Amino acid sequence: MVKVRDLGLGFNSDEIVLFKYCSGSCHRARSNYDLTLGSLLRQQLIVPGPQERVLSHPCCRPTRYEAVSFMDVENTWQTVEKLSAAECSCIG
């Protein structure tokens, strides 16, 4: 449960909404690509640049989203599409 104004989307509302998110480990879903990339990174045969972040494992990310509706301080209903995670899966 979070305040709408804390979402960082610029809405002025005192309402509290349910923000669902994905988390968790995806190590069981590792592919040959993930295993090879991890090995090459450990051996420093691939060295990411200073602004790069290379992950050698899949990430738990939303695969389906839900819209969230709330009333702002002007008593106007607002709906934000694709805000809250509805389903999660290992991606990558």
Side-chain angles (χ1 to χ4, degrees), residues 2-87:
V2 296
K3 291 181 182 178
V4 169
R5 67 180 75 242
D6 293 336
L7 294 174
L9 299 175
F11 291 102
N12 190 11
S13 175
D14 296 321
E15 288 209 29
I16 294 174
V17 296
L18 177 62
F19 176 76
K20 295 184 271 183
Y21 59 94
C22 301
S23 67
S25 174
C26 292
H27 292 287
R28 289 186 195 152
R30 284 185 159 189
S31 67
N32 287 331
Y33 169 84
D34 300 315
L35 296 171
T36 299
L37 180 59
S39 176
L40 294 172
L41 288 168
R42 281 190 302 280
Q43 296 175 67
Q44 297 183 343
L45 296 173
I46 294 177
V47 180
Q51 300 299 320
E52 291 180 310
R53 183 172 178 228
V54 178
L55 297 176
S56 62
H57 56 83
C59 301
C60 186
R61 297 281 301 164
T63 54
R64 193 170 62 81
Y65 297 88
E66 294 175 341
V68 174
S69 297
F70 56 89
M71 189 171 287
D72 65 18
V73 294
E74 303 293 327
N75 291 326
T76 303
W77 281 102
Q78 302 286 344
T79 298
V80 180
E81 299 294 330
K82 296 184 177 182
L83 177 65
S84 192
E87 288 181 11

